[in-house]
Amino acid sequence: MGLLDKLETIATTRETLLPKGINPFNVVIEEIHSATEGTIDGHRVVLAGTNNYLGLTFHPSCIEAARETLLKEGTGTTGSRMANGTFSGHSALEKELALFYGCSSAIVFSTGFVTNLGAISSLAGPGDVIVMDADSHASIYDACRMSGAEMIRFRHNNMVDLEKKLSRLGPKCKNTLIIVEGIYSMLGDCAPLAEITALKKKYGAWLMVDEAHSMGVLGEHGRGLAEAVGVEQDIDFTVGTFSKSLGAVGGYCVSNHPELDLLRYVCRSYVFTASPSPATISSVREALRVINSQPQLRTKLWENVEQLYRGLEHSGFELGPDPSPIVAIRVPSKEKALLAWKAILEKGIYVNLVFPPAAPAGLFLLRCSISAAHTSEQIEYILKTFADLKPMMTDAV
Ligand code: PMP
């Protein structure tokens, strides 16, 4: 088989997967009007498939902070944190993130994906064990493979299975890193973090929580699921991204273990990639201040979540188990999911279509993500559209 022949296989799979004229995986948003509105195919649509949970991409003070820095410091760092790409903003943001989490150390990375790649593959190596939730994000899977550690999956959120796997490891638990997420990105459900921390302590393992979708969303101060559940002191490493509630791009790892700082010297995804642009860092610093000072954004987000989740539930849709800013509607087949996704877009609403393997357990999902910036009228419109199109999304037709 030639080098490019395998791409032919991908082309064939794509042909069978996607009927002519529908490609939900290559949508171009031609214009962005606000955190919740854009133009797709020449039509103005409500954006209900972003991860812009607090709507901060258009927050005036975040834009102003980025603009000022752009003018002062230019468009990019053109270098890696280690060699030539640490600006004063990167260091200031690390101090602010550490303060935000009440932790001693923080490291800023270029994306959430490379945060996981770097942090996980540097913390765990050959001879160590990673015990991870089976529904973990691709970056966690890739990091585990890169690490060379033994990789053990437990069934999604299944504490009996987690305990079984930990108890089998016995004394190896002291070399074991458990990895879970705060809010899971497909069904919007939360990890049972109180039980996980209890097991981690019982067996003497280490715990990393990826709060990518829960930072800014959960907890009185927006620190995520660990704050909401009251177990922050039991988390060894928290990782997260700037690309959701913080409205930008980049990632971070925070910890109370002073050794975290040493990762800078061994994380290849920190050492060998360019650091986030100075304007990005300034907007994130401002977004962190907004999260700290405007808890009303979180209140509004949860009002919107309730409106959407309860409304869809009332219409009889099969949803993820818990209300969260990720509201996933299960559709019985790939064909129905594709046609429904297209019909929803034609009605002026952009949501995400998720197929296996990205969606867990062979599910076909129409995934909405809701923002504090959505108006209740926009959510009403989403609810009405889904209710009108419901026959397309159920077994009945
Ligand atoms: N972790 C989780 C749980 C995610 O869902 C994502 C992105 N969807 C990432 C990490 C990667 O974040 P980024 O987009 O910043 O690379």
Side-chain angles (χ1 to χ4, degrees):
M1 183 152 124
L3 184 70
L4 299 184
D5 291 348
K6 53 187 158 313
L7 301 182
E8 284 303 311
T9 323
I10 296 173
T12 316
T13 315
R14 190 185 55 183
E15 297 283 284
T16 46
L17 202 66
L18 301 174
K20 286 258 170 298
I22 312 183
N23 189 350
F25 308 119
N26 197 19
V27 173
V28 177
I29 304 173
E30 290 143 11
E31 283 180 74
I32 313 286
H33 307 293
S34 70
T36 62
E37 283 190 33
T39 294
I40 295 177
D41 257 343
H43 301 292
R44 206 165 167 113
V45 300
V46 175
L47 299 172
T50 68
N51 299 309
N52 201 352
Y53 300 127
L54 299 177
L56 296 190
T57 53
F58 275 82
H59 194 284
S61 67
C62 297
I63 291 180
E64 188 48 29
R67 201 184 66 87
E68 269 178 26
T69 306
L70 180 65
L71 295 178
K72 263 204 319 234
E73 298 188 16
T75 52
T77 63
T78 69
S80 91
R81 295 291 312 275
M82 201 74 169
N84 41 15
T86 292
F87 287 19
S88 62
H90 296 94
S91 304
L93 177 55
E94 283 173 346
K95 289 198 185 81
E96 288 156 10
L97 279 166
L99 197 67
F100 177 72
Y101 279 100
C103 280
S104 57
S105 312
I107 304 185
V108 162
F109 291 82
S110 302
T111 69
F113 198 105
V114 303
T115 303
N116 278 340
L117 280 193
I120 295 169
S121 68
S122 305
L123 286 168
D128 299 323
V129 183
I130 294 172
V131 176
M132 61 189 286
D133 188 287
D135 283 5
S136 291
H137 188 256
S139 56
I140 298 175
Y141 270 93
D142 289 359
C144 293
R145 287 191 196 104
M146 267 175 66
S147 71
E150 183 188 349
M151 186 173 150
I152 299 175
R153 279 179 293 181
F154 65 94
R155 283 201 290 283
H156 177 55
N157 279 352
N158 185 322
M159 294 302 98
V160 175
D161 199 31
L162 174 60
E163 176 146 30
K164 194 163 83 188
K165 307 248 145 104
L166 289 175
S167 69
R168 278 190 199 146
L169 285 167
K172 267 192 130 180
C173 278
K174 70 176 195 319
N175 284 71
T176 295
L177 179 65
I178 304 168
I179 307 177
V180 298
E181 296 178 23
I183 293 177
Y184 282 87
S185 58
M186 290 300 138
L187 294 176
D189 52 337
C190 286
L193 209 48
E195 289 95 319
I196 293 169
T197 51
L199 287 174
K200 167 230 140 133
K201 286 194 282 187
K202 179 172 172 189
Y203 289 94
W206 303 77
L207 178 60
M208 172 182 278
V209 183
D210 183 339
E211 299 261 21
H213 293 270
S214 33
M215 189 269 179
V217 167
L218 292 175
E220 194 191 336
H221 303 92
R223 293 196 296 268
L225 182 64
E227 185 193 7
V229 174
V231 295
E232 285 174 284
Q233 69 287 355
D234 296 321
I235 313 300
D236 295 290
F237 303 96
T238 299
V239 286
T241 174
F242 301 156
S243 71
K244 305 187 195 305
S245 286
L246 290 161
V249 67
Y252 61 93
C253 180
V254 298
S255 177
N256 268 322
H257 297 292
E259 292 88 345
L260 179 76
D261 214 46
L262 297 169
L263 290 195
R264 292 181 203 277
Y265 301 92
V266 289
C267 268
R268 293 167 69 82
S269 68
Y270 176 89
V271 177
F272 295 105
T273 195
S275 57
S277 79
T280 297
I281 293 294
S282 285
S283 83
V284 172
R285 292 181 65 193
E286 185 55 29
L288 201 57
R289 280 191 277 275
V290 170
I291 286 179
N292 257 324
S293 62
Q294 299 185 23
Q296 64 274 23
L297 283 173
R298 226 167 359 271
T299 309
K300 173 70 174 132
L301 171 65
W302 282 97
E303 282 168 15
N304 287 352
V305 166
E306 280 293 310
Q307 190 186 350
L308 184 70
Y309 189 92
R310 300 298 169 208
L312 288 170
E313 195 177 49
H314 181 74
S315 295
F317 285 101
E318 222 188 313
L319 306 174
D322 308 315
S324 100
I326 298 162
V327 181
I329 294 132
R330 298 179 191 207
V331 184
S333 69
K334 182 196 85 184
E335 291 71 23
K336 278 178 183 278
L338 272 165
L339 292 174
W341 176 84
K342 185 166 181 275
I344 293 163
L345 187 59
E346 283 165 1
K347 291 280 180 193
I349 302 165
Y350 172 68
V351 299
N352 310 130
L353 181 62
V354 196
F355 287 170
L363 295 172
F364 300 97
L365 301 174
L366 291 165
R367 175 187 180 276
C368 304
S369 69
I370 211 71
S371 168
H374 282 115
T375 62
S376 91
E377 291 72 27
Q378 286 173 325
I379 297 173
E380 247 343 284
Y381 181 66
I382 296 171
L383 288 173
K384 182 180 175 327
T385 305
F386 270 83
D388 290 347
L389 297 174
K390 189 171 173 231
M392 297 184 76
M393 295 178 236
T394 54
D395 272 323
V397 168

